[in-house]
Amino acid sequence: AQKITQTQPGMFVQEKEAVTLDCTYDTSDQSYGLFWYKQPSSGEMIFLIYQGSYDEQNATEGRYSLNFQKARKSANLVISASQLGDSAMYFCAMRVGSGYALNFGKGTSLLVTP
Amino acid sequence: NAGVTQTPKFRILKIGQSMTLQCTQDMNHNYMYWYRQDPGMGLKLIYYSVGAGITDKGEVPNGYNVSRSTTEDFPLRLELAAPSQTSVYFCASSYLNEQFFGPGTRLTVL
């Protein structure tokens, strides 16, 4: 079974600091994809970053980077230089099966303080 | 491009009523999905489609039906609404590894 676990229900970080949001996954497939989405209070789902299981380099997108440790089955999101606008729910997700559907974790609520 | 659009944005249903949530995408994506998000939870897959005429069940399909007669449209039908279907519903489409989400429909069943 495919499973995504996010163990941090809530996190605080001070503005301009870096923060790491944890994500572990469980799959027996060799080919899979890992995603992070941001959901602000307005409710929309915003794609942040993607990591393929065969990608050798960790993915980066601006201030977002994905710390991919395949042997430990972890895909942590690192946000550098946090901004107040980063306050939101963050979801880790894994692509499952051949239909490209996503399996989501329960999310981590991030609050950035001044 | 409008991306993925969903209507309505909000809806209140009485128990036992039926309704259709509309979803349209203008990106010519073959893959489309319906998810539901309960309070404090991640999204769960209801149904998905890999192309016109082809649909399949996801993790939580009970109480829902879908159809896919065109590439653009992927409506979700709720028959005999129940309070357990109170949720936010997201439609999405995908090309390769990126999924594009609609803004969501907030449904309350009373």
Side-chain angles (χ1 to χ4, degrees), chain A:
Chain A
Q2 323 278 356
K3 188 176 179 182
I4 291 281
T5 302
Q6 295 180 254
T7 57
Q8 306 154 313
M11 291 280 288
F12 292 88
V13 66
Q14 206 157 16
E15 203 176 3
K16 300 179 186 174
E17 299 288 313
V19 63
T20 298
L21 306 183
D22 294 341
C23 173
T24 57
Y25 61 92
D26 186 21
T27 181
S28 55
D29 289 356
Q30 295 301 308
S31 176
Y32 51 89
L34 296 155
F35 301 75
W36 278 92
Y37 282 83
K38 173 184 178 182
Q39 187 177 43
S41 57
S42 51
E44 71 266 34
M45 296 293 288
I46 301 169
F47 167 77
L48 295 178
I49 198 166
Y50 166 79
Q51 178 87 40
S53 59
Y54 294 118
D55 295 341
E56 294 184 354
Q57 303 264 6
N58 284 345
T60 59
E61 290 285 349
R63 294 186 299 110
Y64 305 106
S65 60
L66 199 152
N67 184 2
F68 181 47
Q69 298 189 40
K70 197 169 180 177
R72 300 177 67 177
K73 293 190 173 179
S74 74
N76 299 339
L77 178 71
V78 181
I79 306 175
S80 63
S82 297
Q83 302 172 355
L84 295 177
D86 293 335
S87 294
M89 283 291 291
Y90 288 80
F91 291 96
C92 181
M94 179 166 60
R95 169 171 48 82
V96 299
S98 59
Y100 292 97
L102 297 179
N103 190 17
F104 284 82
K106 292 185 178 180
T108 295
S109 176
L110 176 67
L111 181 62
V112 181
T113 59

Side-chain angles (χ1 to χ4, degrees), chain B:
Chain B
N1 281 354
V4 180
T5 57
Q6 292 183 237
T7 56
K9 285 187 168 44
F10 304 93
R11 183 73 186 267
I12 298 175
L13 280 182
K14 293 183 180 178
I15 295 171
Q17 286 186 320
S18 300
M19 76 165 293
T20 299
L21 282 66
Q22 301 292 345
C23 175
T24 299
Q25 53 95 5
D26 62 359
M27 296 172 282
N28 204 33
H29 291 163
N30 283 327
Y31 294 87
M32 294 188 74
Y33 316 84
W34 275 105
Y35 296 91
R36 60 177 284 173
Q37 184 181 26
D38 298 331
M41 302 293 286
L43 280 66
K44 292 188 177 180
L45 183 67
I46 306 171
Y47 270 95
Y48 68 98
S49 169
V50 301
I54 306 169
T55 62
D56 208 348
K57 295 177 181 178
E59 184 183 355
V60 289
N62 291 345
Y64 307 95
N65 278 300
V66 294
S67 59
R68 184 97 182 270
S69 56
T70 67
T71 299
E72 296 77 20
D73 299 308
F74 190 39
L76 178 72
R77 177 85 178 157
L78 278 72
E79 304 282 1
L80 298 175
S84 60
Q85 293 178 304
T86 294
S87 192
V88 179
Y89 292 84
F90 287 97
C91 178
S93 70
S94 72
Y95 175 71
L96 298 179
N97 290 313
E98 185 169 351
Q99 286 206 5
F100 299 82
F101 283 84
T105 294
R106 186 174 295 274
L107 175 68
T108 302
V109 182
L110 299 173

